[in-house]
Amino acid sequence: MPRKGMRNLLSSSAPKVGPQLHLRGPRDGAAGGPPSPSCFTVSDRLMEENIADAAAVIRKWGPEVDDSLFGSGRADSARFLQAVSDLHRSMLFFSSPSADSGASTAARSAALLRAHYLLSDAICRLERELKLLLSAHGRLLNPLDSLRSASFSDSSDVEDVADSITEVESAADVAIRDLRAVADTMISAGYGKECFQVYKTMRKSAVDESIHRLGCERLTLAQVRKLDWAEFESKIRDWLAAAPIAFRTIFSGERLLCDRVFTSSDVIRESCFADVARDAAASLLAFPETVARSKRSPEKLFRILDLYNAVSELWPEIESMFSFEATTAVRSQALASLLRLAEVARSTMADFEAAIQKDASRSRVPGGGVHPLTRYVMDYLVVLADYELPLTVIFADFPFQAHSPMPESFDAALLVTPSLSAPSSPSADSTTASFESGPWSSSPSAASSTVGSISVRIAWLVLVLICKLDGKAELYREVALSYLFLANNLQYIVQKVKESGLRILLGDEWVARHGAKAMHYAANYERLAWAKVAAAIPEDGTVMTAMEAWERMRGFNTALEAACRGQAGWVVVADGGLREEVMSGVATLVVPAYRAFYKRSRAVLRGCGAASAAAVRFSPEDVRNRIYGLLGGSSGSGSSRDSRTGSSRGSTGLGSPSGSNRSE
């Protein structure tokens, strides 16, 4: 607003009278001094007395006096403020054509001029007093300082702390009462602009200092782009910690202070708060938008969501405190940041899906263990599930659409109805999820529908991962190892869902369906990996000669040794009972049949000499122990083998999920 316009605005309720410039003219006793009282009315004499009394008070507090009006009691300050009011009333009287005055025009002008000079001197004093009050009581008026003064006292006693808070509040009330008295007097005398300028300069500096002490820096987009990720994340953490304090303590306290000091005018109160807090608030809210405009990457998504969540939670306070026209820029900046953050969050999730699809790693995880891509994606989704509420808002008006085509080996019908039929090969055996039916679609409420949208998006990302893993399973030469790889990875996915907030989003039906699919993969591994061992055991009831029994036993020994030797480096994850299921399944496939064969063979070979009996190398317990030792002794997660081959999260090319403090 132009300075002239502001002056008119602030002084509209009590217009100045007389000369608007501080022109030097006749003082008391000079030519043009007090006119002859012979023609004065009672009102004239009363106004002249007011001017004379005010002159005595004002000259007592001239510019050479260093003490404060409010330094030694309130009597001097009350007299001074009353003198200013009397001067202003006298000026109004002598400037009014309709006043009950018998003085000549020259006499009235002379009285008016004398009052004006005295009032100018008084206003200079009040400007100084306003600065002194704002400076002397800065800690009491600053919300952060007053809060710390009351809270961090030397005593730990609750009553003492309460007394300390009461003392601080009482002292602040006294300071605010003095400020209000000065402000009301200056505004009533038509010097609202001068009052406003002093207050704005002092308090704006205090607000800026408080924001700086919170650790917030004003960074340009160019500066943000030069930061490495550690510095970048540190700046975001500082902002996340500072923003709630800034809006709920500093700006809120400043709004309350303006409301208590400038009680005489809503316009002045709002304009003052706007000039004090608008720039700092808008600058603070510009930081999230600056972050959103930096280069996108999947690891930044969680900090983007943190910023979105923080601004969303602060929006009620922002909308309430900065509700008038002069602070429109603050509300506009908050909305701009929210819109930009939401846009970047949606784009980053699409980038994350594309990154999974584009993973081109051709290295095989030793032993069919958990792939680094599986670890990374699931850790990422576990953290993402914690942001269900902001994601719900961000995607509320954006219906789900698949961005990635399914591989040709996947039937589109599998997206609706999961298939658990026995596959002929791993590439045709696909774990899928239903996106048109599930726990989220059973509720008719709009809220459930929105949450379902987030569930669908996360379920889709899991499906994209599973499809990618299906392709990686084909890298193994042994089909049995391909199935073990799929069983391990799918079981890892299911276990991550069960142990995190993903279970709420995806539902127990999803967990059960994919858990069953993992067991199905494991059953295929058992059948293929141990088929030769099981085939080496003759069917129960088969009549054998000693030579046949000897040959069959040697064949079984060879098959068992070959199976154990070939699977020595294979991995079965311990998560969710899969290892126990696999060990039990293999033992059930081999041990009971071998036990019957073992008994028959020993009976046949016992009378054929020691050489023949030596062919019976393993008892049923030995076979069981070999199976359990082979499968139970492998690394539960495959992490040690991954590290020996150089596999890590970084090998996926996706980075690591920021904000996750979870260990694997």
Side-chain angles (χ1 to χ4, degrees), residues 390-450:
L391 286 172
T392 298
V393 178
I394 288 171
F395 285 99
D397 299 325
F398 294 84
F400 171 73
Q401 291 181 342
H403 295 286
S404 306
M406 288 292 95
E408 293 182 0
S409 58
F410 283 79
D411 187 350
L414 297 177
L415 295 177
V416 179
T417 306
S419 173
L420 298 179
S421 58
S424 58
S425 67
S427 62
D429 183 13
S430 309
T431 300
T432 58
S434 172
F435 294 101
E436 295 183 6
S437 62
W440 54 81
S441 62
S442 60
S443 173
S445 68
S448 298
S449 177
T450 306

Side-chain angles (χ1 to χ4, degrees), residues 56-72 76 80 124-126 128-129 132:
V57 174
I58 292 170
R59 285 170 185 155
K60 179 182 176 181
W61 294 93
E64 70 280 358
V65 180
D66 294 330
D67 294 337
S68 172
L69 282 168
F70 300 88
S72 57
D76 288 337
F80 193 94
C124 289
R125 183 71 202 189
L126 289 181
R128 180 183 177 187
E129 290 296 329
L132 289 174

Side-chain angles (χ1 to χ4, degrees), residues 242-495:
I245 299 174
F247 283 95
R248 292 170 179 162
T249 302
I250 296 175
F251 296 135
S252 177
E254 202 62 38
R255 176 66 188 272
L256 180 61
L257 181 61
C258 283
D259 290 346
R260 296 181 67 185
V261 171
F262 299 102
T263 57
S264 60
S265 172
D266 291 341
V267 176
I268 295 177
R269 184 164 59 245
E270 293 176 359
S271 298
C272 187
F273 175 71
D275 276 20
V276 169
R278 179 179 53 227
D279 292 346
S283 175
L284 199 61
L285 289 169
F287 177 78
E289 185 179 13
T290 302
V291 173
R293 292 184 180 279
S294 64
K295 185 179 179 180
R296 294 200 311 262
S297 62
E299 67 270 14
K300 291 182 181 178
L301 176 59
F302 304 114
R303 291 307 179 194
I304 291 291
L305 293 174
D306 285 335
L307 291 171
Y308 183 92
N309 204 36
V311 178
S312 297
E313 290 179 352
L314 290 173
W315 174 249
E317 286 90 344
I318 295 171
E319 191 176 29
S320 174
M321 277 189 293
F322 301 91
S323 58
F324 34 92
E325 184 177 356
T327 54
T328 301
V330 178
R331 301 195 308 275
S332 298
Q333 182 59 69
L335 292 175
S337 292
L338 285 173
L339 291 173
R340 184 64 179 175
L341 289 167
E343 177 186 348
V344 171
R346 289 189 293 268
S347 299
T348 303
M349 283 194 66
D351 293 344
F352 179 67
E353 178 185 335
I356 300 174
Q357 285 282 5
K358 293 176 182 178
D359 180 74
S361 173
R362 300 286 296 175
S363 59
R364 297 186 295 271
V365 178
V370 179
H371 198 281
L373 180 65
T374 306
R375 296 182 186 281
Y376 171 74
V377 172
M378 292 312 300
D379 284 348
Y380 196 95
L381 295 181
V382 165
V383 180
L384 196 63
D386 295 336
Y387 294 91
E388 175 190 340
L389 292 180
L391 286 172
T392 298
V393 178
I394 288 171
F395 285 99
D397 299 325
F398 294 84
F400 171 73
Q401 291 181 342
H403 295 286
S404 306
M406 288 292 95
E408 293 182 0
S409 58
F410 283 79
D411 187 350
L414 297 177
L415 295 177
V416 179
T417 306
S419 173
L420 298 179
S421 58
S424 58
S425 67
S427 62
D429 183 13
S430 309
T431 300
T432 58
S434 172
F435 294 101
E436 295 183 6
S437 62
W440 54 81
S441 62
S442 60
S443 173
S445 68
S448 298
S449 177
T450 306
V451 173
S453 173
I454 304 305
S455 302
V456 168
R457 292 173 194 279
I458 291 181
W460 172 260
L461 290 173
V462 176
L463 178 61
V464 171
L465 169 64
I466 294 173
C467 294
K468 196 68 179 178
L469 293 172
D470 190 82
K472 293 183 181 297
E474 297 178 353
L475 299 174
Y476 293 96
R477 289 188 295 270
E478 301 91 343
V479 177
L481 185 55
S482 296
Y483 279 115
L484 182 60
F485 170 79
L486 291 173
N488 284 330
N489 281 268
L490 187 54
Q491 183 61 30
Y492 181 88
I493 292 170
V494 170
Q495 196 63 24

Side-chain angles (χ1 to χ4, degrees), residues 1-76:
M1 178 177 293
R3 295 177 63 86
K4 181 177 180 181
M6 178 63 75
R7 181 65 167 257
N8 294 335
L9 175 90
L10 297 175
S11 59
S12 59
S13 61
K16 290 185 182 178
V17 295
Q20 296 300 306
L21 300 176
H22 291 189
L23 301 174
R24 293 303 171 192
R27 300 278 184 167
D28 289 346
S36 173
S38 59
C39 58
F40 273 20
T41 64
V42 174
S43 297
D44 288 327
R45 292 190 181 93
L46 181 60
M47 293 301 107
E48 279 291 343
E49 290 175 2
N50 284 345
I51 295 175
D53 292 343
V57 174
I58 292 170
R59 285 170 185 155
K60 179 182 176 181
W61 294 93
E64 70 280 358
V65 180
D66 294 330
D67 294 337
S68 172
L69 282 168
F70 300 88
S72 57
R74 295 293 180 274
D76 288 337

Side-chain angles (χ1 to χ4, degrees), residues 3 29 40 96 123 147 163 204 249 268 318 342 368 371 425 495 502-503 521 531 554 570:
R3 295 177 63 86
F40 273 20
S96 174
I123 292 301
L147 184 63
D163 292 341
K204 189 175 189 301
T249 302
I268 295 177
I318 295 171
H371 198 281
S425 67
Q495 196 63 24
L502 289 171
R503 183 166 193 164
Y521 285 139
R554 285 193 61 188
W570 293 15

Side-chain angles (χ1 to χ4, degrees), residues 81-164:
L81 296 176
Q82 184 61 48
V84 173
S85 297
D86 291 344
L87 275 176
H88 184 250
R89 187 164 58 254
S90 298
M91 292 176 68
L92 290 175
F93 174 81
F94 286 118
S95 64
S96 174
S98 61
D100 180 21
S101 174
S104 65
T105 302
R108 288 159 59 111
S109 296
L112 183 61
L113 193 58
R114 284 186 295 109
H116 172 73
Y117 287 134
L118 287 171
L119 185 59
S120 296
D121 292 341
I123 292 301
C124 289
R125 183 71 202 189
L126 289 181
E127 287 184 34
R128 180 183 177 187
E129 290 296 329
L130 191 58
K131 292 178 182 178
L132 289 174
L133 287 171
L134 290 170
S135 177
H137 300 298
R139 290 183 62 84
L140 289 174
L141 300 177
N142 290 345
L144 284 181
D145 292 329
S146 61
L147 184 63
R148 287 168 180 164
S149 299
S151 301
F152 302 117
S153 59
D154 295 335
S155 174
S156 59
D157 188 88
V158 174
E159 293 184 0
D160 290 344
V161 173
D163 292 341
S164 177

